[in-house]
Amino acid sequence: MKNEPCKQLTRVAYFCMEYALQSSMKTFAGGLGILAGDYMKAAKDSSCSVIGIGILWKQGYGGQAVDSTGRVHDKYCNYKYDFLQDTGVKVTVDIKDKEVTCKVWKVDCFGNSPVYLLDTDIPENDNANVKLRWVTSKLYGGVEEERLAQEIVLGVGGVRALRKLGIETDVYHFNEGHAAFAGFELIREKMAGGLDFEEALERTREQIVFTTHTPVKEGNEKHPINALVYMGANLGLSGQQLERIGGSPFNMTVAGLRLCKAANAVSRLHAVTANKMWENIEDRPYIIPITNGIHRPTWVDMRLHRHIADGETIWKHHQENKKKLLSFVHKRTGHKLLEESITIGFARRAVDYKRPDLFMRNIEDFEALVKKWNVQIIFSGKAHPLDDSGKRVLENLIALSKKYPQNVVFIKNYDMEIAQRLVQGCDVWLNSPRRPNEACGTSGMKAAMNGVLNLSVLDGWWPESCIDGVNGWQFGDGFESTDAGIVDEWDRKKLIEVFDNHVAPTYYEDRQRWIEMMRSSINTTWDAFDIKRMINEYYEKMYTPSEKNR
Ligand SMILES: *Cc1c(COP(=O)(O)O)cnc(C)c1O
């Protein structure tokens, strides 16, 4: 056994816009929050000195209602939580020259390291400007000013909360660029202590590590330098100094890269993409790959443990999980699905590049395939309230579920509970992003460890694990083109080909081989994609002081 890095000595504060620790917690949008939640639990399991800083989103990411005609409507509500502990601590930040008070809550009851959530929805903020109560209302909601205000709360408020809570910190880990202003606060503190800007920046860098998640260039948030100054995010730094850190316009990812001593991408392929994407950005570290992992106790049926489960046991437990899923689906949607039919799961945020409708883009092909093999596909997803194209994608899926009630099901308001049921109870986990846009895709890991076979393009984590036809399948052969229409049609054809020639025949005609593949799926992913491996890599390659890699 390799020595584990010492996890008590390095004190880490992890900054993230979203956390998903438990199903009732609506303070997340997708994979970023799930990763943060899983990380906090695994940090606790391994007794790491890690705490989380985030925001108490009163209305979360928003949800969706579907009317009788199949139209999707936004639905926001104010969530009330009974798991919040009042720390008694309040800090202030300046937003547009107004002092805003942030109350600090603590969450530590889900088997997680403490997560501190900042909240501006308190009476103190009525006096200043009523609107500021709503800074922590909608996750990723609103226009530029609102976003910057939220990021001031997370970054600047977050560092101030640490000080006031008396939590000493060696490493500040920014999970995505949203926390970049925490770097400004660390610089400001040092400049207040007498250092000049360059020295303060240099020392601050030694304290920060950064994880990037976004291989889609437009997905990397930017703001005009003026907007930062206008909102007061600059904390006294000049326009030139801001530009030195984040460029102009100010790019939050570039800032993350320039503020840190070490940076990682979330899979090997993503590291290649990310280094290429930022190759013109000087004065940044090389972006190393540290592939995400999952918190097994949260997602995996532990009866499938790779050391105890034989083929027969795996199949028996899988069928039980499938039965539970189908009855859950019946309760939620009224669709009655069959236990004997091959069941495909697809659940993600509804965004274009994930192509949830890839299978159905040629409706004749789809219909023929589905009838031939009695295919059942269960979709779940959520579109951002401001994303109309995402909502149209959902409406298309809903229409299909009405047209083919035996074959297509849509479960609205994707959340942790739906995810848990699906990744345990489906037979196949479909993943069809347009390469190389999926940074990692941890839902596939959850499925794989539950013996649910991945059918995926070679994107995100899958190239690291896929042994085609042994522990799952790939389709598309890594084909890329700048023309989205061409890739989509290529991948669609390959998907149908692989499903028709390999997946369905194995399921119906060679059950022994199918079960053997389930075993391989479990065995090849069980340890490799356990989040403990990821944490060890964080300590070895990012947290623990090492030679400079800039
Ligand atoms: C695991 C999970 C995700 C992230 O998985 P992807 O494969 O990136 O979609 C997102 N949302 C929920 C609810 C999850 O459980």
Side-chain angles (χ1 to χ4, degrees):
M1 268 291 282
K2 232 173 18 167
N3 276 337
E4 296 225 331
C6 186
K7 292 174 182 146
Q8 282 86 39
L9 293 182
T10 309
R11 296 161 299 188
V12 179
Y14 185 82
F15 284 67
C16 188
M17 204 72 151
E18 345 172 354
Y19 288 89
L21 289 160
Q22 202 252 355
S23 205
S24 68
M25 198 171 173
K26 307 297 180 191
T27 53
F28 81 106
L32 186 71
I34 297 280
L35 176 74
D38 277 15
Y39 174 49
M40 286 299 140
K41 291 182 202 161
K44 168 89 173 184
D45 296 345
S46 301
S47 313
C48 302
S49 297
V50 170
I51 62 100
I53 296 282
I55 288 182
L56 181 66
W57 298 108
K58 188 186 172 91
Q59 303 191 322
Y61 184 63
Q64 258 116 34
V66 181
D67 70 21
S68 56
T69 66
R71 291 280 294 184
V72 167
H73 302 276
D74 302 333
K75 206 174 101 192
Y76 277 114
C77 44
N78 294 334
Y79 295 105
K80 286 240 181 306
Y81 298 115
D82 56 10
F83 51 74
L84 300 169
Q85 295 169 48
D86 188 346
T87 61
V89 165
K90 286 177 184 165
V91 294
T92 61
V93 294
D94 286 343
I95 297 174
K96 273 208 277 188
D97 297 323
K98 294 237 162 41
E99 185 173 273
V100 177
T101 304
C102 313
K103 186 173 171 62
V104 183
W105 302 95
K106 180 178 178 183
V107 183
D108 66 357
C109 55
F110 301 117
N112 59 292
S113 276
V115 175
Y116 295 91
L117 299 177
L118 280 71
D119 176 15
T120 62
D121 184 29
I122 50 173
E124 282 93 323
N125 294 326
D126 278 337
N127 305 329
N129 178 337
V130 175
K131 199 154 185 289
L132 297 174
R133 246 183 115 123
W134 296 97
V135 170
T136 58
S137 177
K138 291 181 168 69
L139 172 57
Y140 305 134
V143 292
E144 182 161 63
E145 279 193 22
E146 199 170 328
R147 175 67 75 90
L148 285 167
Q150 296 172 338
E151 289 168 338
I152 292 171
V153 169
L154 177 70
V156 181
V159 172
R160 292 180 186 172
L162 290 172
R163 301 291 178 265
K164 209 151 179 186
L165 289 161
I167 298 173
E168 297 200 40
T169 303
D170 303 306
V171 175
Y172 298 82
H173 185 160
F174 298 173
N175 193 33
E176 263 302 6
H178 309 122
F181 303 151
F184 294 1
E185 173 66 359
L186 296 173
I187 292 171
R188 189 198 60 77
E189 286 178 335
K190 294 178 185 67
M191 288 174 76
L195 294 190
D196 70 22
F197 171 72
E198 287 300 329
E199 288 168 333
L201 173 60
E202 212 40 56
R203 296 227 188 139
T204 295
R205 271 177 177 163
E206 287 307 307
Q207 301 175 295
I208 295 174
V209 304
F210 173 57
T211 302
T212 178
H213 291 260
T214 319
V216 186
K217 194 136 200 178
E218 306 73 52
N220 289 276
E221 187 188 331
K222 321 190 254 300
H223 303 282
I225 295 269
N226 285 344
L228 264 66
V229 175
Y230 174 70
M231 294 301 290
N234 58 318
L235 304 183
L237 297 181
S238 69
Q240 224 175 5
Q241 290 165 339
L242 296 178
E243 193 170 335
R244 162 112 160 65
I245 295 172
S248 180
F250 189 92
N251 184 308
M252 300 296 277
T253 307
V254 172
L257 290 169
R258 293 234 184 95
L259 282 166
C260 72
K261 66 169 174 177
N264 82 293
V266 294
S267 69
R268 286 182 209 157
L269 178 60
H270 178 221
V272 173
T273 311
N275 280 304
K276 205 184 292 165
M277 191 156 121
W278 305 114
E279 68 189 348
N280 295 324
I281 300 299
E282 285 155 20
D283 199 20
R284 64 159 176 96
Y286 173 76
I287 302 168
I288 59 172
I290 299 181
T291 303
N292 288 343
I294 59 159
H295 184 248
R296 249 185 347 229
T298 299
W299 301 108
V300 180
D301 178 349
M302 295 308 272
R303 299 175 305 178
L304 301 174
H305 191 292
R306 71 170 178 128
H307 296 307
I308 35 182
D310 57 39
E312 206 178 311
T313 318
I314 290 173
W315 184 253
K316 190 177 109 219
H317 293 318
H318 173 69
Q319 287 302 97
E320 276 172 33
N321 292 338
K322 186 171 179 178
K323 226 190 241 174
K324 277 192 218 155
L325 168 66
L326 299 187
S327 88
F328 174 76
V329 165
H330 185 225
K331 248 188 261 150
R332 282 277 180 109
T333 67
H335 288 257
K336 264 200 143 96
L337 300 182
L338 303 176
E339 235 179 281
E340 333 47 270
S341 296
I342 188 166
T343 302
I344 303 176
F346 185 107
R348 289 155 218 277
R349 270 181 317 117
V351 287
D352 174 64
Y353 79 83
K354 296 188 184 244
R355 304 185 298 187
D357 56 341
L358 187 68
F359 227 154
M360 297 98 148
R361 291 216 183 150
N362 178 319
I363 205 70
E364 287 87 48
D365 283 3
F366 174 70
E367 198 168 306
L369 193 77
V370 157
K371 297 286 175 233
K372 176 175 172 192
W373 296 108
N374 294 325
V375 182
Q376 307 180 135
I377 309 189
I378 307 174
F379 286 100
S380 189
K382 214 177 188 183
H384 187 276
L386 299 175
D387 176 10
D388 283 326
S389 73
K391 276 183 253 172
R392 298 296 90 81
V393 169
L394 297 184
E395 285 166 1
N396 184 26
L397 295 175
I398 292 162
L400 287 166
S401 75
K402 291 196 168 154
K403 190 167 170 201
Y404 307 103
Q406 260 65 272
N407 307 102
V408 180
V409 174
F410 176 75
I411 312 176
K412 65 181 182 192
N413 289 326
Y414 183 41
D415 63 9
M416 281 182 80
E417 185 190 2
I418 297 172
Q420 272 157 343
R421 306 266 182 178
L422 287 172
V423 298
Q424 297 191 2
C426 290
D427 300 305
V428 175
W429 195 248
L430 176 62
N431 181 37
S432 51
R434 195 177 296 124
R435 293 178 85 246
N437 286 323
E438 188 62 81
C440 182
T442 54
S443 63
M445 301 172 181
K446 302 169 193 165
M449 289 183 207
N450 281 298
V452 172
L453 300 181
N454 276 270
L455 169 59
S456 170
V457 298
L458 288 170
D459 203 7
W461 76 291
W462 189 227
E464 293 168 43
S465 181
C466 173
I467 313 168
D468 189 35
V470 175
N471 64 356
W473 292 271
Q474 67 90 15
F475 65 93
D477 312 314
F479 177 78
E480 275 178 43
S481 158
T482 47
D483 184 330
I486 291 175
V487 200
D488 289 5
E489 183 53 14
W490 171 278
D491 286 346
R492 185 191 70 81
K493 286 200 176 121
K494 295 289 174 184
L495 168 58
I496 290 195
E497 209 174 284
V498 172
F499 188 83
D500 195 29
N501 295 329
H502 301 281
V503 182
T506 310
Y507 185 81
Y508 288 110
E509 292 154 17
D510 193 351
R511 185 60 45 85
Q512 267 335 100
R513 167 130 182 271
W514 186 275
I515 294 170
E516 204 35 57
M517 287 186 72
M518 292 174 78
R519 255 162 69 89
S520 299
S521 170
I522 296 167
N523 286 342
T524 51
T525 55
W526 192 267
D527 293 319
F529 300 100
D530 182 344
I531 197 161
K532 280 191 188 144
R533 186 265 312 142
M534 181 192 89
I535 292 197
N536 286 343
E537 287 193 67
Y538 279 175
Y539 276 87
E540 283 162 17
K541 298 175 185 169
M542 303 232 289
Y543 296 164
T544 322
S546 60
E547 73 291 350
K548 286 193 184 171
N549 54 1
R550 186 173 294 278

